[in-house]
Amino acid sequence: MKKILITNCLKEHISTICEIDKTSSDYNWTENMFTEELENKNSFFKVLFADTKIVGYVIYHIIIDEAEILNIVIDNDFKRQNLGKYLLEKTLNDISKQSVKTVFLEVGEKNIPAINLYLKFDFKQYNTRNNYYKNGENAILMKKTICSI
Ligand SMILES: CC(C)(COP(=O)(O)OP(=O)(O)OC[C@H]1O[C@@H](n2cnc3c(N)ncnc32)[C@H](O)[C@@H]1OP(=O)(O)O)[C@@H](O)C(=O)NCCC(=O)NCCS
């Protein structure tokens, strides 16, 4: 069995993160965007390891009592092994330890795996944004109320 570990993202992880992003997500970020997250004091950038291999990541912001999940990605070779669920559960657990009341996110309306994942964690749709993504796809806006620990 693999040892699963979540750590803070470091500069030296960025090239692997970019590679995973390119191969395993339809909503790609530039290297600069990832690097800026490392410098943003409101940003939490976490890397998921299976043994010594990076297999996913999550980026979220916390500002006062609101959090926003900007991205969560699992490497194609490791999808459907409950790792997305694990990473989101740990993320929400960490968020609930802060004074956050609501967690927001945006997801492509055709991104069924991600929508299903968020529904599992009780995120509710509250709005849409037309033509939000480069490919013209609409975004679904979801939020979840947090009971802080
Ligand atoms: C969304 C994502 C992170 C899920 O990661 P994952 O490790 O494969 O997901 P898990 O194995 O933990 O599955 C969790 C739940 O997600 C849903 N899900 C995952 N893959 C799915 C698929 N291919 N089709 C339908 N539902 C799916 C299911 O509800 C699943 O629960 P179940 O196994 O009890 O049915 C992954 O598909 C991914 O990296 N997608 C590309 C990046 C992306 O679009 N991220 C979202 C940005 S808003």
Side-chain angles (χ1 to χ4, degrees), residues 25-79:
S25 172
D26 291 334
Y27 308 88
N28 301 126
W29 287 33
T30 61
E31 188 169 339
N32 251 353
M33 288 164 78
F34 287 117
T35 307
E36 278 170 15
E37 293 302 324
L38 290 179
E39 289 153 12
N40 180 344
K41 67 177 175 43
N42 297 316
S43 181
F44 297 76
F45 190 164
K46 305 282 179 180
V47 178
L48 181 71
F49 281 86
D51 291 333
T52 55
K53 191 175 166 46
I54 294 177
V55 297
Y57 62 90
V58 61
I59 301 172
Y60 58 97
H61 290 177
I62 296 182
I63 300 178
I64 311 175
D65 60 352
E66 291 185 354
E68 182 181 11
I69 296 174
L70 282 85
N71 210 352
I72 178 166
V73 177
I74 300 294
D75 187 314
N76 271 347
D77 292 341
F78 291 82
K79 282 192 166 110

Side-chain angles (χ1 to χ4, degrees), residues 88-126:
L88 185 56
E89 189 179 358
K90 293 289 177 196
T91 297
L92 292 170
N93 200 33
D94 283 349
I95 286 173
S96 72
K97 290 176 187 155
Q98 319 263 350
S99 52
V100 169
K101 295 203 174 86
T102 317
V103 186
F104 296 89
L105 59 83
E106 289 144 3
V107 57
E109 68 176 0
K110 294 180 186 152
N111 192 350
I112 303 302
I115 292 170
N116 283 349
L117 174 65
Y118 299 139
L119 288 173
K120 246 179 210 283
F121 285 87
D122 228 22
F123 279 87
K124 310 272 188 227
Q125 176 172 351
Y126 69 95

